Amino acid sequence: MTEQIKNVIIGIILAIMAYLEPIEGELQTLFLVFFLNFLFGYLSGMVKGEDFSLKKALVCVGHAAIFFVLCGAVYVVGRLKGQMDGAVQCVSFITYLIIYFYGLNILRNLKKIFKENTPPWHVANTLYFVLRFKFIEHIPYLSDYLDKNGEKV
């Protein structure tokens, strides 16, 4: 009986993965970004002398789950409406926004990990500058959004 349940669960998971195959690259990118955010957030906390916080870890995992579900839902709705290209494009847009905001957070954490004015700190600081002020030019409406919410671009 348990073997049959296991096989059904595996079958369902494989069917979902096959259904979401057109956005597989986007989902892998999300996984990588959320993993790096978790890792460098944890390392940054260690450098500051903080202990591991299960609550913070679960919040990080919860945020990631929300965005995975959002991307999956956007894709499914677009596919059901017969607009596959638009759905994939929308998921791609969401992914770029996540890369931008979580990338900034990852680089902020890297700057905390490295000693100021060392070569690794300068690399992280330069990447932060490029992402913060140059990357937004390639994401439609992002600079407008940041301007409207009082963040200087």
Side-chain angles (χ1 to χ4, degrees), residues 2-140:
T2 57
E3 188 68 29
Q4 290 175 336
I5 293 172
K6 179 180 151 187
N7 289 338
V8 168
I9 291 172
I10 290 172
I12 291 171
I13 291 171
L14 289 174
I16 291 170
M17 288 173 58
Y19 190 79
L20 297 176
E21 193 273 331
I23 60 168
E24 178 183 4
E26 304 294 337
L27 297 177
Q28 289 173 345
T29 301
L30 289 178
F31 178 79
L32 178 62
V33 168
F34 287 122
F35 174 76
L36 291 174
N37 184 58
F38 180 86
L39 177 67
F40 292 125
Y42 174 66
L43 292 175
S44 173
M46 282 179 49
V47 167
K48 292 189 295 185
E50 296 175 5
D51 289 331
F52 177 78
S53 169
L54 183 61
K55 182 180 177 183
K56 283 174 70 174
L58 290 176
V59 167
C60 181
V61 170
H63 289 170
I66 289 168
F67 285 115
F68 278 109
V69 169
L70 174 66
C71 287
V74 165
Y75 173 73
V76 168
V77 168
R79 187 170 177 162
L80 291 174
K81 291 182 69 175
Q83 299 177 353
M84 286 277 294
D85 292 339
V88 172
Q89 186 176 10
C90 189
V91 170
S92 179
F93 179 75
I94 293 168
T95 303
Y96 278 113
L97 287 176
I98 291 169
I99 290 169
Y100 176 75
F101 287 108
Y102 279 86
L104 284 176
N105 193 51
I106 290 166
L107 291 170
R108 253 187 246 114
N109 284 329
L110 278 174
K111 286 171 44 176
K112 292 176 188 175
I113 291 169
F114 299 125
K115 185 177 177 184
E116 198 167 332
N117 291 320
T118 61
W121 182 88
H122 282 292
V123 170
N125 198 38
T126 302
L127 288 172
Y128 179 83
F129 171 82
V130 169
L131 187 61
R132 176 67 179 94
F133 297 107
K134 298 298 179 187
F135 187 76
I136 60 172
E137 298 167 0
H138 300 287
I139 301 177

